[in-house]
Structures are given as structure tokens and as C-alpha cells.
Amino acid sequence: MQWNKIEHRLFAHISMNWRGRPLTSHEVIVETIAATTTRTGLTVDAELDTGSYPKGIKISDKEMKTLEKQSIRRHEFHGEWNYTLTPANPP
């Protein structure tokens, strides 16, 4: 999980919600996360990503610099972890 203020605040609630419950399947995990709420009314939307993502893809330093210039906007708070990635060719 990437660090950001919302996820950090929610993780404690998610952990309390699944405390003591056996996490026996992806369905149980997603349903438990999605059932999480806070006293202030914050709710969680969760869904299983069944996409397939290849491992070991590497990009060159030159490609990374191009992405940094064109597509990556690093956030003020922990920009090494929190950033917005925009499509190279927005619709």
C-alpha cells in the first residue's frame, strides 16, 4: 500500500474490522474491506483487480526522465511515494 493520508487513516479501521476473522479468500478480504466505515461516516469502496501484470519490466534512465517531465506530478508530501501519473496522450 502506498503511503497517503487517507489510506493511512483507513488502514487502522480496516484492520479493526477484520481482526480475528480468517482471511480465507480474496472475496472475504474485499468484502471485509468494503464493509469498513468510520464514526465520521467515511466508507470504503473495494474491488478485486483480476488483471495480469507482467513482472520484471524495466525502463531506462532516459525513459524515466521523460516520464518525470511529461507524466508524473510528485505530491508535496512524500513525493517519492505519492504522485499523480497522467496519460502521455490524454483523451
Side-chain angles (χ1 to χ4, degrees), residues 69-83:
K69 288 179 186 175
Q70 295 176 353
S71 301
I72 298 174
R73 183 184 59 79
R74 296 200 177 272
H75 298 191
E76 189 174 321
F77 182 77
H78 281 289
E80 69 275 19
W81 298 326
N82 297 303
Y83 52 85

Side-chain angles (χ1 to χ4, degrees), residues 57-73:
I57 294 177
K58 298 187 186 284
I59 63 170
S60 68
D61 290 342
K62 183 179 177 183
E63 290 172 308
M64 188 63 198
K65 286 180 185 175
T66 300
L67 281 173
E68 288 278 357
K69 288 179 186 175
Q70 295 176 353
S71 301
I72 298 174
R73 183 184 59 79

Side-chain angles (χ1 to χ4, degrees), residues 8 13 33 38 40-41 51 53 64 86:
H8 178 69
H13 297 285
I33 292 171
T38 66
T40 59
Y53 301 94
M64 188 63 198
T86 55

Side-chain angles (χ1 to χ4, degrees), residues 48-53:
L48 181 61
D49 180 356
T50 59
S52 176
Y53 301 94

